[in-house]
Amino acid sequence: MSSPDIAGILENSKELDRLRKEQEEVLLEINKMHKKLISSPEVVEKPGDSSLSKLKMLYVQAKELSESEVSISSQLLGQLDALMPSGTQGQHRRRIGSEQKKKRVKADSEVPRLSPSMRSHLESLASLKGEQVAARITQENSGKDEWFVVKVIHFDKETREFEVLDEDPGEDEESTVQRKYKLPMSHIIPFPKRSDLSSVPDFPTGRHVLAVYPETTALYKATVCQSRKRKIDDYVVEFDDDEEDGSLPQRVVPFHRVVALPDGYRQ
């Protein structure tokens, strides 16, 4: 085993340790935010409060750290495999030992890969089975991304992919057969729950959102026209490119069919 090989393994080991420590720090911050929101849920309704934005940033950071940990762990496995002895004598025994070593290292890396908070998040995504969500789907004929209301059939925690069903393909489709899609987590946005008003976001006047166009299952970019007095009140919005007689009509959309406009939204 050469010195550069040893140095590379030690460097990746240090980086893995740093990532795990940073994950723990982020988890502590997430837990603090959870406790704050549980004890004082009304804080998110105060003007200028950024609790939800901070929580989202922490989740994004936790996700990036987890992915980085997976990448470094894979590099370490590759470095260890490259240094394993080769030859014909005792080859079968060494191969078995190598597989056991890989399994141990993989198991060790998988244990901290997901923080308890992230595991809880994945569990909540799995609970969406049977629920309707907003989904970004790439159209085969045009290659454009469009947002539709779909039904969750299954969530795979290993691949972190959703299997969804487009229950209403539309009259302009060549086939009226309901279509299934497999989509990554980033292409799914859960709708607010009517049974849990405390989790319903309140978008102020002027905020850009993604809303279901009335009497359709398609979502488009819209602008909130007036603030709501109660969480059960509907939104009044103006949809982009919805011009009638030279002006944008104001349309009513139920609060549980309005979500935050995704970063980098393109129509």
Side-chain angles (χ1 to χ4, degrees):
M1 185 182 296
S2 65
S3 296
D5 293 331
I6 297 175
I9 291 175
L10 292 177
E11 187 67 27
N12 278 334
S13 297
K14 291 179 181 178
E15 177 63 12
L16 194 61
D17 185 56
R18 184 193 69 79
L19 288 169
R20 289 174 176 173
K21 289 179 180 178
E22 193 168 345
Q23 278 182 312
E24 292 176 359
E25 293 174 358
V26 173
L27 175 59
L28 288 174
E29 292 300 317
I30 289 176
N31 288 336
K32 289 179 182 178
M33 291 295 299
H34 283 176
K35 291 179 181 178
K36 175 184 176 182
L37 294 176
I38 291 173
S39 61
S40 305
E42 69 280 359
V43 71
V44 299
E45 299 180 8
K46 295 180 179 180
D49 181 75
S50 59
S51 299
L52 295 180
S53 297
K54 290 180 180 177
L55 186 58
K56 178 182 177 181
M57 291 177 60
L58 288 170
Y59 270 118
V60 170
Q61 188 178 358
K63 177 177 178 292
E64 292 175 348
L65 288 170
S66 295
E67 291 173 347
S68 297
E69 184 181 354
V70 173
S71 176
I72 296 297
S73 297
S74 298
Q75 291 180 34
L76 276 169
L77 283 173
Q79 290 171 320
L80 291 171
D81 284 344
L83 294 174
M84 294 298 291
S86 59
T88 57
Q89 185 177 5
Q91 186 175 13
H92 181 64
R93 183 172 62 253
R94 285 196 295 271
R95 185 167 64 248
I96 294 175
S98 177
E99 290 299 321
Q100 291 174 341
K101 176 70 173 179
K102 286 165 66 178
K103 289 178 181 178
R104 285 199 299 271
V105 174
K106 183 178 180 182
D108 289 343
S109 65
E110 284 180 346
V111 170
R113 182 181 300 174
L114 293 177
S115 66
S117 182
M118 285 299 293
R119 285 198 296 270
S120 175
H121 180 55
L122 292 179
E123 290 291 343
S124 67
L125 293 178
S127 69
L128 289 173
K129 181 178 179 180
E131 299 281 344
Q132 289 187 329
V133 297
R136 190 177 84 193
I137 299 175
T138 302
Q139 299 302 299
E140 295 179 358
N141 55 351
S142 64
K144 292 178 59 178
D145 287 340
E146 297 184 12
W147 287 86
F148 298 103
V149 178
V150 298
K151 181 179 180 180
V152 175
I153 300 175
H154 176 68
F155 175 68
D156 191 323
K157 296 179 185 177
E158 296 297 325
T159 63
R160 303 186 191 180
E161 283 187 331
F162 282 91
E163 183 177 3
V164 301
L165 176 68
D166 185 359
E167 299 177 284
D168 182 20
E171 296 179 357
D172 58 341
E173 296 285 341
E174 295 181 1
S175 172
T176 57
V177 177
Q178 296 176 336
R179 302 189 63 179
K180 293 182 180 179
Y181 300 90
K182 285 192 175 181
L183 304 172
M185 291 168 52
S186 59
H187 286 210
I188 298 293
I189 302 179
F191 284 118
K193 292 185 178 295
R194 284 177 286 183
S195 59
D196 184 12
L197 296 179
S198 63
S199 64
V200 176
D202 192 13
F203 302 112
T205 301
R207 176 69 61 85
H208 295 310
V209 295
L210 199 61
V212 177
Y213 194 87
E215 300 182 7
T216 75
T217 57
L219 294 95
Y220 301 97
K221 181 181 178 181
T223 304
V224 177
C225 296
Q226 61 187 45
S227 59
R228 302 179 305 148
K229 295 181 179 179
R230 301 174 301 170
K231 283 188 173 292
I232 61 173
D233 290 342
D234 294 334
Y235 278 100
V236 178
V237 304
E238 291 179 350
F239 286 93
D240 287 14
D241 303 320
D242 189 30
E243 189 171 318
E244 289 185 359
D245 300 325
S247 62
L248 294 176
Q250 295 187 351
R251 303 190 185 275
V252 177
V253 180
F255 73 87
H256 58 274
R257 283 293 184 260
V258 179
V259 296
L261 188 71
D263 294 336
Y265 171 83
R266 291 182 298 175
Q267 186 175 344

